[in-house]
Amino acid sequence: MIFKKYAIKKILINFVLVNIVINGFFYYFNFRNYEGPLYLQSIKGDLLFGLVMLALLCAYTGFINTQKDVLTGTFYEEDLHFKLSKYLPKTLTLRLLAVILFVSIIVYPMFITIPNLLGVNEINHTIGFLIKTGSAALAAAVIGYFVITLSISDYKNLSNKTY
């Protein structure tokens, strides 16, 4: 399979779809018995926890699985030039921390601040569910692209070294 098809399939299925289902389940589990009006404040903790767990687990499994796919030749290697790995830490722990910071600093505030700026504070369960799954989908897509390109970049840099 060509790289673009591999990347799109991997991001949509392994990152986005899985995270929509998981975060949707957690939203339902946490708010199934919630009575009364639902406010953005009510879902802030659940949203942040879900995004941090998504960043940690999604990136961790993604790094491992993508490296396996690269080594087994799951996709045809095109002339791929990813310069991302030059600017990011080399250890898995620091990379996971970078992903968690990205989600905490950029994605989470976007899904909490924008509704507040629009004057939306009281929400219903449908909107809460859409905020939770929408933020998970966006974060998973960005994380998926980051993980795939970084894993391939690492492999290419490793395979280009001469000993």
Side-chain angles (χ1 to χ4, degrees), residues 83-113:
K83 298 180 179 161
L84 190 60
S85 68
K86 281 197 290 187
Y87 305 106
L88 294 167
K90 301 298 179 211
T91 64
L92 180 61
T93 304
L94 291 176
R95 286 182 175 177
L96 293 175
L97 192 59
V99 172
I100 290 170
L101 287 174
F102 164 77
V103 168
S104 300
I105 294 171
I106 295 175
V107 177
Y108 173 73
M110 180 173 57
F111 279 89
I112 291 297
T113 306

Side-chain angles (χ1 to χ4, degrees), residues 36-61:
L38 186 63
Y39 296 97
L40 281 175
Q41 289 293 98
S42 307
I43 68 167
K44 282 173 76 170
D46 180 63
L47 181 61
L48 181 60
F49 178 76
L51 287 173
V52 168
M53 292 309 296
L54 167 134
L56 180 66
L57 298 175
C58 183
Y60 180 75
T61 59

